């Protein structure tokens, strides 16, 4: 099956590409998880985070924002010793801060989807050079999330989040998922 240029031959990456990336996601827990993971990815490759995802789910309370918002400094310090996650103090504190900010949003799902008008944006990119790293919508999302108290939500992170959760569909036209997802 032809896949996007960024998908290597790692089975975990292939499964992510084929089943998750670009599929419209409206489940609050899944969206929250992706905000946290995209922030953890800052400065690293996505496959690094993807390989640590299951451990993140274990140590960050299944991405339960209620519980994560109450994570103590001692719990954060304990996680800093866990080689199964990315041991970055600022990113771990941001996970707690983002959980607190998430809980203050009246309707996080609609809030996030509002940056694309509530419907997925289907792009028709021919190759990797066509796919942007940032868009005005991602810049607006970043600004609004920061204003709401989130951290590690720069415009590039927000665009990656939008791609991952299907707010924008950026599978290139030569990828089999492009045809599948444009039919949805």
């Amino acid at each position: 099956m032809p896949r996007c240029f960024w998908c290597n031959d790692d089975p975990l990456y292939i499964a992510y590409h084929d089943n998750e990336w670009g599929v419209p996601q409206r489940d609050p827990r899944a969206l929250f998880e992706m905000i946290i993971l995209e922030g953890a990815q800052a400065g690293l490759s996505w496959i690094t985070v993807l390989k640590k995802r299951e451990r993140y789910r274990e140590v960050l309370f299944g991405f339960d924002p209620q519980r994560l918002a109450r994570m103590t400094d001692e719990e954060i310090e304990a996680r800093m010793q866990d080689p199964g996650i990315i041991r970055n103090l600022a990113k771990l504190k941001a996970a707690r801060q983002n959980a607190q900010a998430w809980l203050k949003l009246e309707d996080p799902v609609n809030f996030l989807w509002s940056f694309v008008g509530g419907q997925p944006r289907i792009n028709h990119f021919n190759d990797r050079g066509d796919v942007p790293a940032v868009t005005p919508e991602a810049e607006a999302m970043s600004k609004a999330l920061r204003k709401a108290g989130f951290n590690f939500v720069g415009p590039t992170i927000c665009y990656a989040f939008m791609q991952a959760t299907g707010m924008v569909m950026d599978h290139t036209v030569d990828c089999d998922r492009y045809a599948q997802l444009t039919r949805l």
Side-chain angles (χ1 to χ4, degrees), residues 102-115:
W102 177 270
L103 294 172
K104 292 177 185 170
L105 295 175
E106 185 175 324
D107 184 348
V109 175
N110 284 331
F111 172 75
L112 293 168
W113 275 90
S114 73
F115 295 97

Side-chain angles (χ1 to χ4, degrees), residues 96-177:
R96 177 178 60 192
Q97 179 180 332
N98 290 351
Q100 292 165 350
W102 177 270
L103 294 172
K104 292 177 185 170
L105 295 175
E106 185 175 324
D107 184 348
V109 175
N110 284 331
F111 172 75
L112 293 168
W113 275 90
S114 73
F115 295 97
V116 292
Q119 295 299 317
R121 297 257 169 99
I122 308 298
N123 291 315
H124 309 284
F125 298 129
N126 289 311
D127 61 37
R128 77 171 71 195
D130 298 335
V131 182
V134 175
T135 62
E137 295 83 2
E139 289 174 346
M141 178 187 279
S142 173
K143 185 177 179 181
L145 286 171
R146 285 181 178 153
K147 185 177 180 182
F150 287 78
N151 200 353
F152 280 91
V153 289
T156 303
I157 289 171
C158 285
Y159 195 67
F161 169 78
M162 294 168 96
Q163 291 172 310
T165 60
M167 292 176 187
V168 296
M169 198 288 291
D170 278 355
H171 287 276
T172 50
V173 297
D174 60 341
C175 174
D176 276 2
R177 290 296 288 157

Side-chain angles (χ1 to χ4, degrees), residues 36-37 39-42 44 48-49 51-53 55-56 59-60 71 75-95 152:
I36 302 301
L37 292 177
Q41 186 265 335
L44 304 169
T48 300
V49 175
K51 288 180 177 180
K52 295 176 180 288
R53 186 183 203 178
R55 185 65 183 150
Y56 268 109
V59 302
L60 296 183
M71 186 165 60
E75 289 172 320
I76 288 174
E77 281 301 322
R79 279 140 185 86
M80 284 293 294
Q81 309 311 310
D82 190 328
I85 64 168
I86 296 157
R87 295 178 286 183
N88 179 300
L89 187 59
K91 290 177 181 181
L92 286 170
K93 286 184 174 182
F152 280 91

